Amino acid sequence: MIEARRLHILRAVADHRTVTAAAAALYLTPSAVSQQLAALEQETGHRLVERGAKGVRLTPAGEILLDHTNAVLAQLERAEAELAAYSSGAAGTVTVASFATGIALVVAPAVARLAESAPGIHLRVQDAEGDASLPMVLDRQVDVAVAVEYRGAPPADDPRLAHVPLYAEPFDAVVPVAHRLSGAPEVPLAELAKDPWIGPYPGNPCHDVVVLACENAGFQPRMEHSSDDFRAVVALASADAGVALVPRSALRGMDLTGVVVRPVDGTAPTRRVFAAVRRGAEEHPLIRPVLDALGAAAQAQPLPV
C-alpha cells in the first residue's frame, strides 16, 4: 500500500530537484526525505529517483508514479473539500501569498469583502513574488497564491494547480523629464535600445515581461540598475539614471516628480495575474469564497487588458 504522505515527498523532490531543497520546503530533514523515498521505492518495487552531481531526477518509473501522484493528490484535495462542505461551518484560516501590488489591488479588498460576506474566514497574507508563491502552494506552505504569468511558470493546465484568472494590466514607459522622448504621446520601445535600463532582478516575473518586450522590439535591454521595488525604480529614473517599464497599477499614488509616464507604442507588454490553488481544492468551502472575493476585487479595478 502506497502512503499518500510519501507521494507528497516524491512530488516535492521532483519540483525542487534536490533532496535538501525538498526537505526545507516540507520542514523535514534531508535524511527523513531520503528514508521516505527509500520506503516508497520498497512499497512500489521500483527505483524511483537517481542521484547525480547536479541533484536528483526521477527514473522512468518515478515519472509514471508522479503522473498518478498528481491525480491522487488532487483527488485527496477534493475529498477534503467535500468533507469540509459536509461538516459545513465555513470558519477557519486561509493563507494567501501575493506580490506587493497584488496585495494592494485585490487581496486587501478581498479581506474587506470577506469580513462582510464570510466573517468566519480569516485571511493570513504573506508578501511573496509570483515565482515564489506557486512553489509555496505546492509545498502546502500557503493555500492560495496570487501570481503573475512568467516564462517557466506552471501552465494553466498543470495537473498540480488550478488557475483562476484575475486581471491583466499594461506596463507603461517611465522616462526622465529631460529624456528626448518625454514629449512623445507614446514611446516606441525600439527607440530605447541604447538607453540604460532600470528594472527588477532576474527571477522576478516582471523582469521576464520587460526583457521579452525589449526582445520583441529587437534588442536586449542594458540593465544598469536593479530593484524589485518599483518606487526605487521610479526614483532612479527621476534621477536620470535610466528608463524603465512599470506595471500601471504600481504607479498609483507614487511620487512621479522628475519622470514622465507614457504608454508604449503598439502592443504594450502586459502582466497577467491569476490565483492558484492545489488542484482539487478550488471548491473547498473555505477557499472558494476567497477565490470569489479575489475575483470580485479584480473586476472592481479599472484595469485595461
Side-chain angles (χ1 to χ4, degrees):
M1 179 70 69
I2 298 175
E3 292 192 19
R5 63 192 176 96
R6 290 175 181 150
L7 296 180
H8 280 291
I9 290 173
L10 178 71
R11 186 160 80 177
V13 169
D15 287 343
H16 294 280
R17 304 291 183 180
T18 70
V19 168
T20 301
L26 297 173
Y27 300 102
L28 297 172
T29 64
S31 62
V33 169
S34 295
Q35 290 171 7
Q36 292 299 317
L37 286 175
L40 184 59
E41 289 181 330
Q42 187 172 5
E43 287 174 347
T44 60
H46 291 278
R47 188 179 182 188
L48 302 174
V49 297
E50 292 179 341
R51 292 170 173 80
K54 295 184 178 180
V56 176
R57 68 180 184 88
L58 298 189
T59 64
E63 294 286 355
I64 291 172
L65 184 58
L66 180 63
D67 288 341
H68 290 284
T69 292
N70 291 329
V72 167
L73 295 183
Q75 192 60 41
L76 287 175
E77 293 283 356
R78 295 186 189 99
E80 290 182 11
E82 289 190 20
L83 287 171
Y86 175 77
S87 61
S88 192
T93 299
V94 176
T95 304
V96 180
S98 172
F99 57 100
T101 309
I103 292 175
L105 207 62
V106 294
V107 178
V111 171
R113 288 175 181 272
L114 288 168
E116 296 184 359
S117 62
I121 298 177
H122 171 68
L123 281 193
R124 181 178 292 128
V125 181
Q126 297 183 19
D127 188 337
E129 290 298 337
D131 58 328
S133 61
L134 295 177
M136 291 168 73
V137 169
L138 291 171
D139 294 334
R140 305 182 71 85
Q141 297 173 14
V142 301
D143 303 302
V144 182
V146 175
V148 179
E149 290 182 3
Y150 60 95
R151 287 189 285 192
D157 60 352
D158 189 291
R160 303 167 299 170
L161 294 168
H163 284 221
V164 178
L166 293 178
Y167 65 90
E169 63 173 321
F171 281 57
D172 288 326
V174 177
V175 301
V177 290
H179 193 274
R180 63 190 182 280
L181 295 177
S182 62
E186 296 182 333
V187 173
L189 283 186
E191 296 295 321
L192 302 177
K194 295 184 179 180
D195 285 84
W197 279 74
I198 313 159
Y201 284 100
N204 185 315
C206 288
H207 175 88
D208 286 347
V209 174
V210 172
V211 171
L212 183 60
C214 293
E215 288 175 352
N216 289 338
F219 69 98
Q220 282 280 343
R222 176 167 56 90
M223 287 293 179
E224 190 75 16
H225 310 283
S226 297
S227 175
D228 288 334
D229 187 335
F230 286 116
R231 290 171 299 179
V233 170
V234 171
L236 286 168
S238 70
D240 203 17
V243 300
L245 289 174
V246 177
R248 186 166 293 173
S249 65
L251 295 167
R252 289 183 179 180
M254 194 181 293
D255 181 6
L256 300 176
T257 303
V259 298
V260 171
V261 178
R262 294 288 184 264
V264 173
D265 183 32
T267 302
T270 301
R271 72 170 171 182
R272 301 187 183 280
V273 179
F274 62 94
V277 300
R278 292 180 294 278
R279 190 170 291 276
E282 59 269 32
E283 296 303 327
H284 191 287
L286 292 180
I287 292 178
R288 183 73 258 169
V290 173
L291 295 177
D292 290 342
L294 289 170
Q299 290 182 359
Q301 297 296 329
L303 286 171
V305 178

PDB file of all heavy atoms in Angstrom, residues 114 164 201 209 236 261 285 290:
ATOM      1  N   LEU A 114     -14.615  39.752   2.487  1.00  0.00           N
ATOM      2  CA  LEU A 114     -14.874  38.548   3.285  1.00  0.00           C
ATOM      3  C   LEU A 114     -15.340  38.897   4.689  1.00  0.00           C
ATOM      4  O   LEU A 114     -16.098  38.128   5.297  1.00  0.00           O
ATOM      5  CB  LEU A 114     -13.613  37.689   3.338  1.00  0.00           C
ATOM      6  CG  LEU A 114     -13.260  36.967   2.037  1.00  0.00           C
ATOM      7  CD1 LEU A 114     -11.856  36.384   2.108  1.00  0.00           C
ATOM      8  CD2 LEU A 114     -14.265  35.857   1.739  1.00  0.00           C
ATOM      9  N   VAL A 164      -7.132  30.536 -11.568  1.00  0.00           N
ATOM     10  CA  VAL A 164      -8.290  31.414 -11.682  1.00  0.00           C
ATOM     11  C   VAL A 164      -7.786  32.781 -12.170  1.00  0.00           C
ATOM     12  O   VAL A 164      -7.126  33.500 -11.421  1.00  0.00           O
ATOM     13  CB  VAL A 164      -9.013  31.575 -10.332  1.00  0.00           C
ATOM     14  CG1 VAL A 164     -10.195  32.534 -10.476  1.00  0.00           C
ATOM     15  CG2 VAL A 164      -9.470  30.231  -9.796  1.00  0.00           C
ATOM     16  N   TYR A 201      15.069  42.353 -10.621  1.00  0.00           N
ATOM     17  CA  TYR A 201      16.120  41.348 -10.735  1.00  0.00           C
ATOM     18  C   TYR A 201      15.645  40.161 -11.574  1.00  0.00           C
ATOM     19  O   TYR A 201      14.440  39.860 -11.624  1.00  0.00           O
ATOM     20  CB  TYR A 201      16.518  40.834  -9.352  1.00  0.00           C
ATOM     21  CG  TYR A 201      17.382  41.781  -8.563  1.00  0.00           C
ATOM     22  CD1 TYR A 201      16.821  42.593  -7.569  1.00  0.00           C
ATOM     23  CD2 TYR A 201      18.752  41.862  -8.793  1.00  0.00           C
ATOM     24  CE1 TYR A 201      17.611  43.463  -6.833  1.00  0.00           C
ATOM     25  CE2 TYR A 201      19.549  42.730  -8.056  1.00  0.00           C
ATOM     26  CZ  TYR A 201      18.976  43.526  -7.083  1.00  0.00           C
ATOM     27  OH  TYR A 201      19.757  44.381  -6.357  1.00  0.00           O
ATOM     28  N   VAL A 209       8.850  39.966 -18.224  1.00  0.00           N
ATOM     29  CA  VAL A 209       7.967  40.756 -19.091  1.00  0.00           C
ATOM     30  C   VAL A 209       8.763  41.858 -19.785  1.00  0.00           C
ATOM     31  O   VAL A 209       8.621  42.088 -20.993  1.00  0.00           O
ATOM     32  CB  VAL A 209       6.808  41.351 -18.274  1.00  0.00           C
ATOM     33  CG1 VAL A 209       5.969  42.290 -19.154  1.00  0.00           C
ATOM     34  CG2 VAL A 209       5.915  40.251 -17.717  1.00  0.00           C
ATOM     35  N   LEU A 236      15.026  56.191  -9.300  1.00  0.00           N
ATOM     36  CA  LEU A 236      16.245  56.191 -10.106  1.00  0.00           C
ATOM     37  C   LEU A 236      16.001  56.840 -11.469  1.00  0.00           C
ATOM     38  O   LEU A 236      16.848  57.577 -11.980  1.00  0.00           O
ATOM     39  CB  LEU A 236      16.756  54.762 -10.277  1.00  0.00           C
ATOM     40  CG  LEU A 236      17.413  54.146  -9.039  1.00  0.00           C
ATOM     41  CD1 LEU A 236      17.608  52.637  -9.212  1.00  0.00           C
ATOM     42  CD2 LEU A 236      18.759  54.823  -8.771  1.00  0.00           C
ATOM     43  N   VAL A 261       5.439  59.527 -17.529  1.00  0.00           N
ATOM     44  CA  VAL A 261       4.880  58.195 -17.769  1.00  0.00           C
ATOM     45  C   VAL A 261       4.105  58.235 -19.077  1.00  0.00           C
ATOM     46  O   VAL A 261       3.219  59.081 -19.263  1.00  0.00           O
ATOM     47  CB  VAL A 261       3.960  57.760 -16.610  1.00  0.00           C
ATOM     48  CG1 VAL A 261       3.351  56.394 -16.909  1.00  0.00           C
ATOM     49  CG2 VAL A 261       4.731  57.737 -15.293  1.00  0.00           C
ATOM     50  N   PRO A 285     -14.858  24.712   0.978  1.00  0.00           N
ATOM     51  CA  PRO A 285     -15.756  25.765   1.469  1.00  0.00           C
ATOM     52  C   PRO A 285     -15.044  26.954   2.114  1.00  0.00           C
ATOM     53  O   PRO A 285     -15.665  28.006   2.288  1.00  0.00           O
ATOM     54  CB  PRO A 285     -16.648  25.040   2.485  1.00  0.00           C
ATOM     55  CG  PRO A 285     -15.898  23.816   2.852  1.00  0.00           C
ATOM     56  CD  PRO A 285     -15.128  23.417   1.632  1.00  0.00           C
ATOM     57  N   VAL A 290     -12.801  32.701  -0.870  1.00  0.00           N
ATOM     58  CA  VAL A 290     -11.613  33.544  -1.043  1.00  0.00           C
ATOM     59  C   VAL A 290     -11.366  33.800  -2.526  1.00  0.00           C
ATOM     60  O   VAL A 290     -11.106  34.933  -2.942  1.00  0.00           O
ATOM     61  CB  VAL A 290     -10.382  32.888  -0.386  1.00  0.00           C
ATOM     62  CG1 VAL A 290      -9.117  33.683  -0.708  1.00  0.00           C
ATOM     63  CG2 VAL A 290     -10.583  32.778   1.116  1.00  0.00           C
TER      64      VAL A 290
END
